[in-house]
Amino acid sequence: MRIGFIGLGNMGMPMARNLARAGHTVVGFDVVPSTRVGASEAGLDVVAGVSEATREADLLVTMLPEGRHVREVYLGDEGVLTSARPGTQLVDCSTIDVETAREVAARAHDHGLDLLDAPVSGGVGGAEAAGLTFMVGGSEAGLERARPALEQMGKTIVHCGSSGTGQAAKICNNLILGISMIGVSEAFALAEALGLDAQKLFDVASRSSGQCWSLTSYCPVPGPVPGSPANRGYQAGFTAAMMAKDLRLAQSAALAADVATPLGAEARNLYRLFSSKQGDLDFSGIVQFLRTRS
Ligand code: NAD
C-alpha cells in the first residue's frame, strides 16, 4: 500500500517506520522541519505538506497531539478531506475528545470518505516494538481495510463500536491509569514514612489485592521494576502533560454526560499542578510531587 503518515513525533515516527519495514511506501509529513529531517534520515519518504502526503494514499494515518491539530489537518484548506481521493481509508490514532472525533468523521463522510478513530495504548516502547493496542471506533468495513496496517503496528485491535467509541475507550482507560498511579504513589510515600522498605511493599502488594499495572509494570519508585521510568530519572515515557490532557478529556466527557468522577477530578488537578512545573517528566514522577506536597 501507499500510506500517508501525518505527525511524526514520539509515537508517529516509530509507527511509520514499522509500516515502511513491512514493505509499504510511506509518505510522511510533520509540521516541524527538524522532525521532517529526522524522518528522512530514518529512511521515510518525506513531503512538504498535508495534501502531498494524502493525495495518492490508499491509507492515511494521523498521529497528532490534540483535537485542534486534528481539525486543522483534516478540515483546513488543503487538508486531508479536500486532498484525499475517493476510497482512501483514513485513520486517526491521536488521543482527542470524543466530540471532535465524531464531528471530523461526519465531515469525512460528507466528502465520501471513511474515518476511523483508533487511539492507542502501549507508549513509545509499544510503538517501537509494534506492540500497540488499537481501540477502534467507526465502520467495520473501514476497520477491515485498515486492519493489515494496524496489525503491522500493534498486537491487539478492539473494535469498540461506532465513531468516537475508540476515543471513549482510551479516555476511560487513562482515567483508571491516572488514578491508580496516584494510589500506588501514595502507598509508597506512606510506606517510606512508616519505615517500610519499598521492595518489601512491592513484594507484598504485587501478590495481594493492591496489584495493578501501575505497580507491577510501571512502578513509580526505582528498584522493583527495572524498566520503569523511575529508574531513569522519570524520563518519559508518557509525559505528565499528556496525562493531564487525557484527564481533562475525561472530565469534560464526564461533565457533558452528567457522570460523577470525583477521583478523576482530583487526579486531574494533581497532574495539572505537577505538569505545570515538570510537564516533560514521565507521569509516574507524580510520586515525587506528592512527597514534596507532604
Ligand atoms: P508528539 O508531540 O511527540 O508528536 C505529535 C507530532 O505531531 C509532532 O511531531 C508535531 O510536530 C506534529 N504536528 C502537530 N501539528 C501538526 C500539523 N498541523 N501537521 C503535521 N504535524 C503536526 O506526541 P506523541 O507522544 O507522538 O503523541 C501523539 C498522540 O498519541 C497524542 O494524542 C498522545 O496523547 C497519544 N499517545 C501518546 C503516547 C505516548 O506515550 N507518547 C501513548 C499513547 C497515546
Side-chain angles (χ1 to χ4, degrees), residues 1-4 19 57-61 88-91 145-146 149:
M1 279 196 282
R2 186 177 171 90
I3 301 180
L19 291 173
D58 302 305
L59 181 76
L60 189 278
V61 183
T88 300
Q89 179 62 46
L90 311 175
V91 183
R145 282 190 291 273

Side-chain angles (χ1 to χ4, degrees), residues 25-237:
T25 302
V26 179
V27 181
F29 172 68
D30 194 284
V31 77
V32 174
S34 59
T35 305
R36 293 204 293 275
V37 171
S40 177
E41 283 168 2
L44 297 185
D45 236 340
V46 177
V47 291
V50 169
S51 58
E52 287 99 313
T54 308
R55 215 172 285 135
E56 306 288 324
D58 302 305
L59 181 76
L60 189 278
V61 183
T62 47
M63 192 49 159
L64 299 161
E66 298 196 31
R68 63 195 162 95
H69 306 103
V70 171
R71 280 177 192 276
E72 186 186 319
V73 164
Y74 281 86
L75 308 179
D77 297 339
E78 310 223 356
V80 171
L81 298 192
T82 51
S83 313
R85 55 182 178 147
T88 300
Q89 179 62 46
L90 311 175
V91 183
D92 178 37
C93 294
S94 329
T95 301
I96 63 168
D97 58 288
V98 175
E99 203 184 309
T100 299
R102 288 189 171 144
E103 189 193 323
V104 178
R107 298 278 293 275
H109 189 260
D110 294 343
H111 281 75
L113 295 162
D114 188 77
L115 168 60
L116 301 173
D117 48 293
V120 303
S121 82
V124 175
E128 281 166 354
L132 294 171
T133 294
F134 288 92
M135 306 152 224
V136 184
S139 74
E140 288 215 18
L143 174 55
E144 289 321 309
R145 282 190 291 273
R147 190 182 287 280
L150 299 186
E151 284 175 345
Q152 284 151 351
M153 296 185 284
K155 277 209 179 75
T156 307
I157 300 169
V158 180
H159 189 202
C160 298
S162 60
S163 184
T165 55
Q167 296 296 349
K170 174 70 187 174
I171 59 178
C172 289
N173 179 73
N174 279 16
L175 178 63
I176 298 172
L177 175 63
I179 293 170
S180 70
M181 182 55 79
I182 291 173
V184 170
S185 297
E186 287 185 0
F188 276 105
L190 180 59
E192 193 178 287
L194 298 178
L196 170 63
D197 181 68
Q199 184 63 51
K200 297 295 177 196
L201 171 60
F202 182 86
D203 292 345
V204 171
S206 62
R207 296 185 187 89
S208 305
S209 43
Q211 191 278 329
C212 64
W213 188 91
S214 293
L215 176 75
T216 53
S217 296
Y218 217 81
C219 189
V221 298
V225 177
S228 79
N231 299 284
R232 46 172 205 269
Y234 299 98
Q235 185 197 323

